[in-house]
Amino acid sequence: MNSHLALDGYQLAVRALSDRIVEAQTPIRVLDAVKWDDSVRQTFLKHKGRELPAIDRSYYDSRPLPFDPAAKKLEFQNIERDITRQLGQFNPVGQIMRRMCREYRMVIRMLEARGTSDFGLISQELYGAASDAFHAGDPTLADLGLMFSDYLNNIDSRGDLKDEPKTLGAKEAVALLQSRLNLVFGESENTIRVFESDGILADAAAGADYIKIRTDAMFNERDVKALEVHEGLVHVATTLNGQNQPICTFLAKGPPSSTVTQEGLAILMEVIAFASYPSRLRKLTNRTRAIHMAEQGADFVQVCDFYREQGFSLEDSYSNASRAFRGSAPDGLPFTKDLSYLKGFIMIYNYIQLAVRKGKLEQIPLLFCGKTTLEDMRTLRQLVDEGLVSPPKYLPQQFRDLNSLSAWMCFSNFLNHLSLDRIEADYANIL
């Protein structure tokens, strides 16, 4: 925990309120609360994927939340009240903290509604829906997913961009990833730990200062580079930067609105670090399409069949489809958190592009000062100037030296004004 030394009365008040938010959110673990037991998977596979999983309200009721929802909502309401009383209605950092309290109350309401239609509706409020447009007249997330799928199908038809064989076991992946992260975070500080674990479903999972690699998972070097960039340089780095905040400790923890920023940053970093690849992008587009199908009325079996049509095994199709229905019912509205990847990428890209166009480059690295939310960026700039927020200690090289990123965005700003349809017609004879 950061020290309270040398803080004035106002800073101590902000710190105390911030610490209360961090403490209050500790038992709220959304993914733990919505996950399905392995017995559900085994039963689904036993019936060859033809029967809906037996998930309903009573299933979740038998798995109670590790806190009293009513008491926890009241706790956040009291914190929000005290923020207004102590900091005032229009205090900038107070406005951020009050919004966080409201979001956490909404998260609790969503978890209380597990297995009902309200769960999906609240999820859409928190994370968005596949039918959401970015701006008036722009394509929706569902449109973007279909567009990307068309591009990826054209690439797949080549037949020469296959993924490299996965020849690295967990031990080799741990050693390689640890060595790469040490170059960024400092080997002597032992800042990030990478180790094997047999208690996770995904190939890898990040914590506050560690990355776990599933013991029986296999990787190639491209996979390891993606983990380095996505989990290490974004998720773990922003957590550590938030934990280093002397006053605004709430930046170490993120409500759903920060999930969009986090995942958007992670995907953008994969792209600009050349760590992404077509099959990884297809995974993200498939998640968006699966959520859109569920929003349009498709049930679990139909979404699972969609994945099987993509060439996935029944077991992998179950795992992918369950991401969209966890917390809900197999024929209910989906859990829309997985929209954060593509939605966040577009929003972060547009933000950086606009920051370059407006000459406000100093705001770009502040995306990494903790678990930030895009709508708070102007306020965070003000809070840095006031000394309430510390600039990020850990930054990817692409955001530490903004020369190359700025040049890329300048070209991108110009190219956005060109008509791709007109270019395609003009280039028809040479491509």
Side-chain angles (χ1 to χ4, degrees):
M1 185 65 70
N2 293 310
S3 173
H4 288 218
L5 295 177
L7 301 183
D8 62 28
Y10 170 62
Q11 293 171 331
L12 285 171
V14 173
R15 169 66 187 254
L17 291 164
S18 181
D19 284 349
R20 286 174 64 186
I21 293 175
V22 172
E23 178 66 24
Q25 65 80 46
T26 299
I28 303 175
R29 292 292 176 262
V30 174
L31 298 186
D32 285 344
V34 302
K35 68 183 180 182
W36 294 353
D37 292 342
D38 190 58
S39 60
V40 179
R41 179 186 65 86
Q42 294 175 357
T43 302
F44 185 78
L45 297 179
K46 177 182 177 181
H47 292 99
K48 309 298 182 184
R50 300 327 311 164
E51 293 187 11
L52 290 176
I55 303 289
D56 55 16
R57 179 63 183 264
S58 62
Y59 174 86
Y60 296 106
D61 287 343
S62 68
R63 291 154 179 79
L65 299 172
F67 56 88
D68 181 338
K72 186 60 67 176
K73 285 186 292 186
L74 179 60
E75 182 179 3
F76 279 112
Q77 188 170 344
N78 289 336
I79 296 172
E80 184 178 354
R81 177 205 60 201
D82 290 344
I83 291 169
T84 302
R85 288 179 175 177
Q86 296 180 35
L87 303 182
Q89 183 70 32
F90 301 109
N91 178 271
V93 69
Q95 290 178 333
I96 293 177
M97 290 194 289
R98 280 203 307 273
R99 193 200 67 243
M100 291 181 70
C101 290
R102 290 192 293 270
E103 274 196 54
Y104 280 125
R105 290 207 304 273
M106 190 180 296
V107 168
I108 295 168
R109 294 207 317 272
M110 180 182 73
L111 296 181
E112 287 181 294
R114 291 174 301 171
T116 73
S117 59
D118 282 347
F119 175 88
L121 293 173
I122 299 173
S123 173
Q124 290 179 342
E125 287 189 60
L126 289 168
Y127 301 102
S131 56
D132 291 345
F134 291 99
H135 307 284
D138 280 357
T140 65
L141 276 168
D143 294 333
L144 183 64
L146 288 172
M147 189 184 308
F148 278 5
S149 292
D150 289 341
Y151 298 158
L152 292 168
N153 289 338
N154 290 336
I155 294 173
D156 282 348
S157 65
R158 291 174 50 91
D160 59 351
L161 291 179
K162 302 299 183 184
D163 291 348
E164 294 90 345
K166 296 181 183 293
T167 59
L168 299 176
K171 290 187 184 300
E172 293 86 353
V174 165
L176 181 57
L177 183 57
Q178 184 73 72
S179 65
R180 290 185 175 181
L181 291 175
N182 285 345
L183 295 176
V184 178
F185 292 93
E187 183 173 7
S188 60
E189 300 178 32
N190 194 28
T191 307
I192 293 184
R193 297 172 294 118
V194 185
F195 55 89
E196 293 182 58
S197 172
D198 57 4
I200 57 176
L201 297 178
D203 289 346
D209 60 354
Y210 62 83
I211 297 176
K212 297 187 292 187
I213 303 295
R214 199 179 76 230
T215 303
D216 60 351
M218 297 296 293
F219 303 85
N220 55 40
E221 290 200 24
R222 196 181 296 272
D223 295 328
V224 175
K225 185 175 183 180
L227 289 174
E228 172 196 356
V229 170
H230 189 113
E231 306 292 351
L233 301 188
V234 176
H235 292 328
V236 178
T238 52
T239 298
L240 294 175
N241 288 332
Q243 291 176 342
N244 285 331
Q245 294 296 332
I247 300 171
C248 294
T249 54
F250 62 81
L251 284 170
K253 305 296 180 182
S257 59
S258 71
T259 302
V260 176
T261 305
Q262 278 287 296
E263 300 301 353
L265 265 181
I267 299 303
L268 178 65
M269 270 301 302
E270 288 186 36
V271 173
I272 63 179
F274 283 4
S276 194
Y277 44 94
S279 61
R280 183 162 175 78
L281 179 56
R282 186 177 289 281
K283 180 186 296 185
L284 303 182
T285 60
N286 280 342
R287 289 176 184 174
T288 300
R289 294 180 66 185
I291 289 172
H292 182 58
M293 288 177 63
E295 288 178 345
Q296 297 300 306
D299 63 25
F300 185 88
V301 170
Q302 291 169 316
V303 173
C304 189
D305 287 344
F306 160 74
Y307 276 105
R308 297 181 73 177
E309 292 168 2
Q310 302 291 314
F312 290 94
S313 67
L314 177 58
E315 188 163 359
D316 288 341
S317 296
Y318 168 86
S319 298
N320 289 323
S322 63
R323 293 181 67 100
F325 287 92
R326 50 190 170 169
S328 183
D331 56 355
L333 287 173
F335 180 45
T336 58
K337 176 181 177 292
D338 278 349
L339 296 177
S340 301
Y341 298 92
L342 290 185
K343 178 180 180 179
F345 169 73
I346 297 298
M347 293 177 67
I348 294 294
Y349 180 86
N350 287 340
Y351 174 79
I352 295 176
Q353 193 177 49
L354 190 59
V356 170
R357 183 186 299 181
K358 299 292 185 180
K360 297 184 177 181
L361 303 183
E362 72 281 354
Q363 292 193 194
I364 297 175
L366 298 184
L367 290 163
F368 286 85
C369 67
K371 302 302 183 184
T372 60
T373 298
L374 205 54
E375 66 184 84
D376 295 334
M377 295 314 300
R378 175 182 288 186
T379 301
L380 287 175
R381 173 73 262 175
Q382 178 183 340
L383 298 180
V384 169
D385 293 340
E386 293 177 3
L388 286 178
V389 170
S390 300
K393 176 181 178 180
Y394 299 109
L395 268 176
Q397 183 59 38
Q398 292 87 345
F399 286 82
R400 188 174 297 278
D401 178 1
L402 293 175
N403 283 300
S404 297
L405 186 62
S406 298
W408 181 39
M409 288 298 178
C410 284
F411 278 113
S412 179
N413 270 310
F414 171 74
L415 294 174
N416 283 345
H417 289 84
L418 301 180
S419 169
L420 192 58
D421 289 338
R422 184 65 260 167
I423 292 172
E424 182 178 3
D426 291 345
Y427 280 40
N429 293 328
I430 62 174
L431 184 63

